[in-house]
Amino acid sequence: MEEPSLTELPDDLILKIFSLLPFFKESVATNLLTKRWEDLMFDDNDKSYESLVKFTSFVYGSLVFNKSQILDIKLSREYSASDIIFFVKLAVKRSVRRLRIQTSGKTLELPSSLNICVTLKSLILHQVRIKVVPPRFRLPLLESLHLFSVKFSAYESLEIFLKSCPDLECLVVKNVLFKTVLPWCLLPSLKTMHLLSSNFWENESVASLLRICPVLEDLVVNQTKVFSNSVPASITCRALKTLILRGLTINVIPPSFCMPSLKAMQLLSVKFSGGESVESLLRICPHLEGLVVNQTEVFDSNECTMSSCGKLKTLTLSELSIKVVLPWFRLPSLKSLHLLSVKFSGEESIASFLQICPVLEYLVVDQTEDDSVMLEDVPVWFCLPSLKSLHLLSVNFSGDESFSKLIQRCPVLEDLVINKTRDDNVTIFNINAPSLRSLSIDNSTGERTYVEENHGFVINAPSLEKMNFKDTFSNCLVFEHMPEVIEANIHVICGQPENFIGSLTSICHLSLCSLSSEVKTLLLKKCQ
């Protein structure tokens, strides 16, 4: 006659059995004292059977007394499948919400008790091997699934496993092999998917997987094959709004593939081959509004990419080189542009690039990681008629004139931020901006050294209302009449404070720290 297993016994009887164990009272006491305890985690690495018994009593005591809804199990040595089945069964009885299981590559038998669990919302499997997914296995209300280094033995086990989650909204997969993608295996509720360092067999790819995700909105792909040479006749991701591609190579982009609703895309360390380019990818995103490109070739000598970006409003280019900009190329809707450590080679310059953005309103140029000259000269034809905000962070110029001309060619500029670098080739920053309302200057990085010639700032901004000024290097500061300034924070080391204090006639809030290099005095003043 077969003896009944422990899991088949009533809770009261199991509790009585565990109460006879030497560690159970200690475990219950711990649970009663730790009322805010939520996560139950067991790592049995290099631990004895005695520890497993102690952990078993601890888990059961927690589930019985605290009704914990989060269970985290990590098993790294030989164990019985009934151990996990037993723990999971207890957790299901206590309305578990999140379950995490790690078996260090050993086989996991999927607990049948999960079929009836209507409270489980999140499941994390880490370093788990699954030989078979029972045909009737279901996770009826699961919303979030994380598969980290999970191996499936059967040919279609992964797809069948995904099919068992009809309400799945978030899927994160890392180091997992997709052997086949079944077109009938729909993920009807999936909205977010992260595919990290995963592989596809033969002609399968991320594009194949997208066929079965009709409402997917956010997709992140890292070091995973996006497209294959064999793609179904037509794939349209009508709901996809955000796409991030990182650390991968694209050698083919099917013309039948389309993302008509995509609004934001990031290309991070992406390489193109086989005649494909950024432009090839952008052709299938007709309504793209935001684009971030990092360490990815954007322009080449054969074609001008991004010509399909008629609706692009924000663009960030980071750590890349621009080789050529064709004169007919335009970004007609671009409002915001970030150039972060961008180099221009050949005859191209930032001036020629900015001219392709006729309605640009917000510009950030950051050369903190690059010491090359960004703006050598300002051509006669150069103008930014719509620019309202300009941030110049450690930008190098060819001289004083190139900076002053840049400011003059921004007729409606309202906000200016300057982070000065020691080697920017500018002696006097002449800021002549009638429309300027906000000014922030930081010239305080590095050690102060003596320079005989005058160097500093001359500011003529009659409409200025707010100013933040920190300068510990300049020996020449001249502020013209600024009657509209109502708030100013000024921290300077200068021997001629009278050159700027008298220009602040209408100020309401002033924080002033002026340490004269000659008289060694500190002045603090606040006006209401």
Side-chain angles (χ1 to χ4, degrees):
M1 180 177 178
E2 185 178 356
E3 296 183 0
S5 66
L6 183 64
T7 58
E8 296 176 354
L9 300 177
D11 282 355
D12 292 341
L13 183 54
I14 296 177
L15 186 62
K16 179 63 177 177
I17 294 173
F18 275 117
S19 66
L20 301 177
L21 296 176
F23 308 105
F24 185 69
K25 293 182 180 180
E26 175 186 345
S27 300
V28 171
T30 301
N31 284 297
L32 291 177
L33 291 174
T34 315
K35 295 183 179 180
R36 297 184 64 182
W37 184 274
E38 285 188 337
D39 292 302
L40 305 177
M41 181 173 180
F42 175 53
D43 183 353
D44 68 344
N45 189 28
D46 297 328
K47 292 187 178 181
S48 63
Y49 176 76
E50 182 180 90
S51 296
L52 177 60
V53 173
K54 181 176 181 179
F55 172 70
T56 302
S57 63
F58 175 71
V59 169
Y60 194 79
S62 299
L63 293 172
V64 168
F65 288 95
N66 287 337
K67 298 184 179 180
S68 175
Q69 293 182 309
I70 300 175
L71 180 60
D72 195 338
I73 304 173
K74 178 181 177 182
L75 297 172
S76 56
R77 61 168 178 77
E78 291 300 327
Y79 63 91
S80 170
S82 60
D83 294 338
I84 291 182
I85 294 175
F86 174 63
F87 295 146
V88 172
K89 184 178 180 181
L90 293 177
V92 170
K93 288 184 178 181
R94 297 297 168 182
S95 303
V96 64
R97 290 185 296 107
R98 192 189 77 181
L99 175 63
R100 181 180 184 271
I101 301 176
Q102 179 177 348
T103 64
S104 299
K106 296 180 175 61
T107 301
L108 170 68
E109 180 181 338
L110 295 173
S112 58
S113 58
L114 292 178
N115 286 318
I116 59 173
C117 185
V118 296
T119 60
L120 185 64
K121 300 297 183 181
S122 176
L123 174 63
I124 302 173
L125 300 180
H126 189 195
Q127 294 180 338
V128 169
R129 180 184 296 274
I130 299 177
K131 288 186 176 181
V132 62
V133 179
R136 296 186 179 181
F137 180 76
R138 291 292 181 273
L139 297 169
L141 296 179
L142 191 72
E143 295 178 355
S144 176
L145 174 63
H146 291 63
L147 302 176
F148 299 144
S149 301
V150 176
K151 294 183 178 180
F152 293 84
S153 300
Y155 188 71
E156 299 175 349
S157 293
L158 173 56
E159 287 69 27
I160 295 175
F161 186 83
L162 294 177
K163 187 183 177 182
S164 68
C165 314
D167 291 339
L168 190 65
E169 295 183 1
C170 176
L171 173 64
V172 178
V173 177
K174 183 176 182 180
N175 294 327
V176 173
L177 174 62
F178 288 83
K179 298 179 180 179
T180 182
V181 179
L182 305 175
W184 47 263
C185 184
L186 289 179
L187 297 174
S189 303
L190 193 67
K191 295 182 179 180
T192 300
M193 180 163 61
H194 292 204
L195 303 174
L196 314 176
S197 303
S198 295
N199 297 312
F200 289 84
W201 264 13
E202 299 177 351
N203 293 325
E204 301 292 1
S205 64
V206 175
S208 307
L209 194 59
L210 294 178
R211 287 180 298 169
I212 63 175
C213 307
V215 298
L216 187 68
E217 296 181 358
D218 303 303
L219 174 63
V220 177
V221 183
N222 180 35
Q223 297 180 350
T224 302
K225 181 171 63 175
V226 181
F227 301 105
S228 67
N229 293 322
S230 177
V231 177
S234 177
I235 298 179
T236 302
C237 303
R238 300 188 183 279
L240 193 63
K241 297 179 181 179
T242 303
L243 173 63
I244 300 176
L245 304 179
R246 182 194 300 270
L248 49 86
T249 299
I250 297 177
N251 50 32
V252 61
I253 299 177
S256 59
F257 189 85
C258 185
M259 297 179 284
S261 301
L262 194 70
K263 298 295 184 182
M265 178 165 61
Q266 296 185 26
L267 304 176
L268 313 176
S269 301
V270 176
K271 295 182 179 180
F272 292 87
S273 62
E276 302 295 355
S277 64
V278 174
E279 184 183 25
S280 306
L281 187 60
L282 296 178
R283 287 197 199 106
I284 62 178
C285 314
H287 296 95
L288 190 68
E289 295 182 357
L291 176 62
V292 176
V293 184
N294 173 259
Q295 296 182 347
T296 301
E297 187 173 359
V298 180
F299 294 92
D300 59 42
S301 58
N302 297 321
E303 62 176 337
C304 186
T305 60
M306 298 194 299
S307 59
S308 302
C309 294
K311 296 186 178 181
L312 194 66
K313 296 181 180 179
T314 64
L315 173 63
T316 298
L317 303 179
S318 175
E319 299 181 67
L320 50 85
S321 296
I322 296 179
K323 299 178 182 179
V324 61
V325 180
L326 299 181
W328 50 264
F329 175 59
R330 289 290 182 271
L331 293 173
S333 302
L334 195 69
K335 301 280 189 173
S336 176
L337 174 63
H338 289 67
L339 300 176
L340 314 178
S341 298
V342 174
K343 293 183 178 181
F344 293 86
S345 59
E347 297 181 356
E348 300 303 335
S349 66
I350 187 174
S352 58
F353 183 79
L354 293 177
Q355 285 305 106
I356 69 177
C357 315
V359 296
L360 189 65
E361 297 181 357
Y362 183 83
L363 173 62
V364 176
V365 183
D366 187 348
Q367 281 189 275
T368 305
E369 303 299 329
D370 182 15
D371 58 0
S372 61
V373 176
M374 174 61 74
L375 191 61
E376 294 186 359
D377 189 18
V378 178
V380 177
W381 46 261
F382 178 79
C383 184
L384 296 174
S386 303
L387 193 69
K388 295 181 178 180
S389 181
L390 175 60
H391 292 214
L392 302 173
L393 312 178
S394 301
V395 176
N396 297 329
F397 298 85
S398 60
D400 294 12
E401 188 176 4
S402 62
F403 171 80
S404 61
K405 283 185 177 180
L406 174 62
I407 301 302
Q408 291 172 11
R409 303 296 172 82
C410 305
V412 296
L413 188 64
E414 297 181 357
D415 173 51
L416 177 60
V417 177
I418 299 175
N419 284 0
K420 191 180 183 306
T421 180
R422 301 278 69 77
D423 301 319
D424 53 23
N425 302 318
V426 179
T427 303
I428 299 294
F429 281 83
N430 192 345
I431 303 174
N432 187 0
S435 59
L436 197 64
R437 297 181 179 275
S438 176
L439 176 62
S440 177
I441 295 176
D442 187 352
N443 183 25
S444 61
T445 302
E447 297 181 2
R448 180 179 174 87
T449 57
Y450 175 76
V451 178
E452 184 176 355
E453 64 178 354
N454 286 338
H455 59 96
F457 296 84
V458 175
I459 301 173
N460 181 16
S463 300
L464 196 66
E465 298 176 354
K466 183 178 179 180
M467 179 169 58
N468 288 292
F469 195 95
K470 187 175 183 181
D471 188 348
T472 58
F473 290 93
S474 298
N475 61 11
C476 177
L477 295 178
V478 178
F479 293 1
E480 302 292 345
H481 187 48
M482 295 184 289
E484 303 297 327
V485 174
I486 59 175
E487 181 179 348
N489 295 298
I490 302 175
H491 180 185
V492 297
I493 297 179
C494 181
Q496 300 171 324
E498 65 275 5
N499 286 351
F500 55 85
I501 294 179
S503 63
L504 308 175
T505 57
S506 301
I507 198 163
C508 295
H509 303 281
L510 172 63
S511 175
L512 174 62
C513 179
S514 176
L515 181 59
S516 171
S517 58
E518 296 179 357
V519 298
K520 307 295 184 182
T521 59
L522 180 65
L523 304 176
L524 293 174
K525 181 180 180 182
K526 292 184 179 180
C527 305
Q528 299 291 338

